[in-house]
Amino acid sequence: EDKVVQSPLSLVVHEGDTVTLNCSYEVTNFRSLLWYKQEKKAPTFLFMLTSSGIEKKSGRLSSILDKKELFSILNITATQTGDSAIYLCAVGSYDKVIFGPGTSLSVIP
Amino acid sequence: EPEVTQTPSHQVTQMGQEVILRCVPISNHLYFYWYRQILGQKVEFLVSFYNNEISEKSEIFDDQFSVERPDGSNFTLKIRSTKLEDSAMYFCASSEQGKVLRSPLHFGNGTRLTVT
């Protein structure tokens, strides 16, 4: 059965800290790995990764995929209170995308 | 920026009633999806839809559920006879290219379904 595992499930940090969120997967017919941020409602897209070892970066966020070890990390540097959200890892396999349980990040001032 | 829109934002229904959740995907997208998220739980795949037919569906998507693209813009999810456990946030999503290799899913804001 396909599965996506995220760790930690919950994290509390202070503003300015750097965090690393982990995602591992076991999926047949892997196509891509996606990171989303979910605040109040809809997940909003952050990154899509298809190739190993190539870092994707957007401001203070970055992510990388290791297809050999079947995992990805999402890094957030210099965290701000606005980064507080649930971060979802999802893996694309043919015609569906499977989500992990998410990491709930709380950034306190 | 184009977005996926869902209506209604909140629907309350009695057990056993039929509900139809509506979505307007982004106009040039070809692949459509429904997901649900029970409060406090993870986002779960229900069904994907391409070229007017279901591409893939999960075990959750049983005979109580159906999807339709009745015209060129709407994409609907029907639950025939709602159960209490159908209470959840239902997200519609669309993507430009469906094999998830080149384009991500874009989500609507969801419809919160409450079954009483």
Side-chain angles (χ1 to χ4, degrees):
Chain A
E1 188 187 326
D2 295 339
K3 67 179 177 185
V4 179
V5 177
Q6 291 186 249
S7 65
L9 293 180
S10 179
L11 190 55
V12 181
V13 300
H14 287 98
E15 260 190 323
D17 287 351
T18 292
V19 297
T20 298
L21 310 183
N22 303 292
C23 175
S24 62
Y25 60 91
E26 287 176 32
V27 172
T28 51
N29 302 306
F30 174 88
R31 290 290 182 265
S32 57
L33 187 141
L34 305 101
W35 284 97
Y36 285 85
K37 178 182 182 182
Q38 186 176 29
E39 295 174 90
K40 296 267 191 258
K41 287 195 174 177
T44 52
F45 171 71
L46 295 174
F47 297 112
M48 184 167 80
L49 303 152
T50 55
S51 302
S52 270
I54 299 172
E55 186 183 54
K56 293 233 173 163
K57 215 168 154 58
S58 175
R60 297 175 294 103
L61 276 67
S62 63
S63 183
I64 198 160
L65 172 68
D66 185 330
K67 285 165 78 172
K68 188 176 168 208
E69 299 298 329
L70 308 182
F71 80 89
S72 174
I73 59 171
L74 175 70
N75 277 321
I76 309 175
T77 59
T79 51
Q80 301 169 357
T81 54
D83 295 326
S84 296
I86 297 173
Y87 289 84
L88 302 171
C89 174
V91 175
S93 165
Y94 278 152
D95 293 333
K96 66 182 180 189
V97 174
I98 302 158
F99 281 82
T103 293
S104 176
L105 175 65
S106 297
V107 182
I108 53 178
Chain B
E1 187 178 319
E3 55 182 33
V4 176
T5 55
Q6 289 186 244
T7 54
S9 56
H10 192 187
Q11 171 101 44
V12 181
T13 189
Q14 288 193 322
M15 203 165 53
Q17 295 296 303
E18 175 184 287
V19 293
I20 297 177
L21 310 183
R22 300 179 194 281
C23 169
V24 179
I26 295 172
S27 62
N28 66 331
H29 285 190
L30 300 176
Y31 288 79
F32 315 117
Y33 308 81
W34 283 101
Y35 284 81
R36 80 170 185 193
Q37 187 174 33
I38 295 169
L39 190 64
Q41 297 186 26
K42 70 177 188 180
V43 177
E44 299 175 292
F45 169 75
L46 293 178
V47 66
S48 59
F49 190 88
Y50 169 69
N51 202 25
N52 281 318
E53 59 183 27
I54 290 173
S55 296
E56 193 157 353
K57 59 183 181 178
S58 70
E59 325 65 73
I60 302 167
F61 194 87
D62 62 21
D63 293 343
Q64 294 282 79
F65 292 88
S66 62
V67 288
E68 200 176 33
R69 187 151 162 85
D71 53 44
S73 58
N74 289 286
F75 179 52
T76 62
L77 174 70
K78 184 193 290 187
I79 310 175
R80 266 181 261 289
S81 176
T82 49
K83 304 187 279 267
L84 293 176
E85 53 266 35
D86 293 327
S87 295
M89 181 73 94
Y90 287 81
F91 290 110
C92 174
S94 68
S95 69
E96 204 172 342
Q97 297 181 29
K99 299 304 180 186
V100 209
L101 186 60
R102 287 188 284 269
S103 59
L105 271 61
H106 295 270
F107 285 83
N109 275 330
T111 292
R112 179 162 296 288
L113 177 65
T114 303
V115 182
T116 62

